[in-house]
Amino acid sequence: AVCSMGNSTSRLYSVLAKTLSSGAVSQHQDCLEQLDSARLDPLDPKDLLEECQIVLQKRPPRFQRNFVNLKKDTASNHRPIRVMQWNILAQALGEGKDNFVQCPMEALKWEERKCLILEEILAYKPDILCLQEVDHYFDTFEPLLSRLGYQCTFFPKPWSPCLDVERNNGPDGCAMFFLKERFELINSANIRLTAMKLKTNQVAIAQTLKCHETGRLFCIAVTHLKARTGWERFRSAQGCDLLQNLKNITQGAKIPLIVCGDFNAEPTEEVYREFSNSSLNLNSAYKLLSPDGQSEPPYTTWKIRPSGECRHTLDYIWYSQHALNVNSALGLLTEEQIGPNRLPSFNYPSDHLSLVCDFSFNQDPDRLL
């Protein structure tokens, strides 16, 4: 038996239909047993991409985005490390709470939207993938990405707003995936962020990895800070807590660090300044796309809600600028590509843009670990 995905083509039953389309996991025990056995079989990313494109054949083609070369000296002995950061939009929130007034409900159907998300991931082939608002981890991302060679980690929010939505798929949270052929996991920490000494509903994952090719250690972290105007001091406190945790994990910046996240904070906020001025010596990778290398992009999220149009820069990839170089970064979608109805849409599955950077280790021998 297979799990039905509604209006899917028969081709999908080989891969995508094995991922559950709704939340009642306990009612799909037979499918879960299939997933356990399916994880053992490697999956060709080309086959998965082809199946996604079959599902999406009635939708417009995906937008083209180009990488911008940022490294003047391109000579490197090792392959770069590609890191992808993305708030993918929790399915329960997209359908039930976020009120995207210009986005047709048809565009938010999970059977198709998940294929748009997968298509974006498969197009950029990240070595490390950091996601927020993941509420289909166990039935979609973990079973599929594990078969693509990724080691997968998920940390849900303690009180996810997804649980308030009828027919939800469980809590949303942060997820991290890295290619096992490229990295070895040395240490992993699930961090529940505190603010004013109180535990909060926001979380982070921090993992120390060893690069097989170089033997170098580095730490990769993913987080999603508290949303909404009026919570600036709260976000600042969460950011301080995360930085303190990362200082301990990286032994005071001895281990290079990359932090991906939806900070829900513009560059004018205190939490942004805390990361910029931290003793961890962090820089924001996407600043390097600006002419002077000092300005963040004009937006990383763009949507229309009942209260009006929301265009903000909230998503970042921070990195240890003394130990890592940014070789290239993926350019953002233009306003023309996004279109007048903004995001999400039939073209793009989330209200946040994905950020993708290629990193290399600084070759300074004094910085070798």
Side-chain angles (χ1 to χ4, degrees), residues 170-280:
D172 77 301
C174 291
M176 185 182 293
F177 310 84
F178 67 83
L179 284 177
K180 291 183 285 186
E181 70 173 19
R182 292 213 64 186
F183 311 108
E184 175 189 351
L185 179 63
I186 303 300
N187 181 59
S188 185
N190 287 354
I191 303 164
R192 184 171 171 187
L193 299 176
T194 63
M196 297 88 168
K197 297 185 179 179
L198 298 173
K199 290 183 177 180
T200 73
N201 194 34
Q202 279 65 46
V203 300
I205 303 169
Q207 297 191 329
T208 303
L209 305 181
K210 182 177 182 179
C211 177
H212 291 316
E213 199 172 352
T214 64
R216 300 281 298 268
L217 294 178
F218 66 100
C219 177
I220 178 83
V222 57
T223 195
H224 188 187
L225 301 188
K226 173 67 181 168
R228 295 196 176 88
T229 304
W231 292 85
E232 291 81 6
R233 287 185 63 199
F234 196 82
R235 280 191 287 274
S236 174
Q238 289 182 326
C240 285
D241 183 49
L242 179 57
L243 284 168
Q244 187 56 53
N245 275 280
L246 293 174
K247 284 174 190 173
N248 295 336
I249 291 169
T250 62
Q251 302 165 27
K254 288 182 181 177
I255 298 173
L257 173 65
I258 300 171
V259 186
C260 295
D262 175 357
F263 280 60
N264 275 306
E266 291 273 11
T268 51
E269 271 198 38
E270 188 178 345
V271 68
Y272 182 94
R273 291 193 293 275
E274 285 160 356
F275 269 72
S276 293
N277 301 326
S278 164
S279 61
L280 292 172

Side-chain angles (χ1 to χ4, degrees), residues 7 10 55 78 98 159-160 187 197 202 205 215 217 225 232 263 294 298 304 307 312 339 341 363:
N7 298 323
S10 57
V55 176
H78 305 289
D98 278 346
W159 316 301
S160 167
N187 181 59
K197 297 185 179 179
Q202 279 65 46
I205 303 169
L217 294 178
L225 301 188
E232 291 81 6
F263 280 60
Q294 300 299 314
I304 302 175
S307 57
H312 300 292
N341 294 332
Q363 296 305 308

